[in-house]
Amino acid sequence: MTRAAAAILAALCLLPVAASPAAAAAPKTSLPDIEDEVMCPICGTLLELSDSPQAEREVAFIRRRIAAGQTKSQIKDALVAEYGDQVLALPRGSGFDLSAYLVPIAGFLIAAVALAVAVLRWRRRGAASRAPAAGPTEGPEAERLEADIARYDL
């Protein structure tokens, strides 16, 4: 075997090894990957649960994009361009849609702080009610207290 033939054979053997990281970096998009993240704009349900004619057209649209080799984000962007923002099952993470994520988090934090303050106040009131009452322990009032107690003892 000549050196040129050996070099060509080595290059052909290394070609699948060199191509595998590129294939692993860009996984192929599938219909189930996208179906659970987009909605049918007519019935307002997830695409994977909808049987309407519009949902079937949307699935065909997605299949054509997958066959063209587009990524998941490209397909979702094309769906938004075609059907509008209501096609997305999850709101976008920017603009007004960001409030869909921030409002529940803020509500939870406010409720947690309010609960912590209420528990601290409740515990302080309980500790104050358990404190022993201060009373006269010496002097003329102590003598009068002793006399009153002795009157009731039989």
Side-chain angles (χ1 to χ4, degrees), residues 23 27 38 54 121 132 141 150:
V38 294
Q54 174 60 37
R121 285 184 180 175
E141 289 191 18

Side-chain angles (χ1 to χ4, degrees), residues 1-12:
M1 189 186 301
T2 65
R3 284 186 165 198
I8 292 174
L9 183 60
L12 288 175

Side-chain angles (χ1 to χ4, degrees), residues 12-146:
L12 288 175
C13 289
L14 292 176
L15 186 62
V17 174
S20 65
K28 184 157 173 63
T29 305
S30 66
L31 183 61
D33 279 345
I34 297 174
E35 271 186 327
D36 62 346
E37 295 182 15
V38 294
M39 311 273 286
C40 173
I42 300 299
C43 52
T45 61
L46 284 175
L47 188 61
E48 64 185 352
L49 302 175
S50 181
D51 291 329
S52 70
Q54 174 60 37
E56 292 173 10
R57 285 191 292 274
E58 200 171 333
V59 167
F61 180 84
I62 292 170
R63 284 191 175 133
R64 284 192 305 272
R65 300 289 177 153
I66 290 172
Q70 290 187 343
T71 65
K72 186 176 183 178
S73 63
Q74 289 173 331
I75 294 172
K76 287 170 74 173
D77 289 341
L79 284 168
V80 169
E82 184 76 20
Y83 300 106
D85 282 334
Q86 71 271 13
V87 79
L88 297 177
L90 293 175
R92 293 187 184 265
S94 62
F96 180 74
D97 291 339
L98 186 61
S99 66
Y101 296 109
L102 296 180
V103 169
I105 292 170
F108 175 77
L109 291 175
I110 290 169
V113 168
L115 183 63
V117 167
V119 166
L120 288 174
R121 285 184 180 175
W122 177 66
R123 290 188 69 186
R124 282 188 200 140
R125 284 186 193 147
S129 67
R130 287 188 301 252
T137 56
E138 55 187 57
E141 289 191 18
E143 292 172 8
R144 192 179 75 188
L145 179 62
E146 289 295 324

Side-chain angles (χ1 to χ4, degrees), residues 143-154:
E143 292 172 8
R144 192 179 75 188
L145 179 62
E146 289 295 324
D148 286 343
I149 291 174
R151 231 184 351 190
Y152 290 108
D153 282 341
L154 296 175

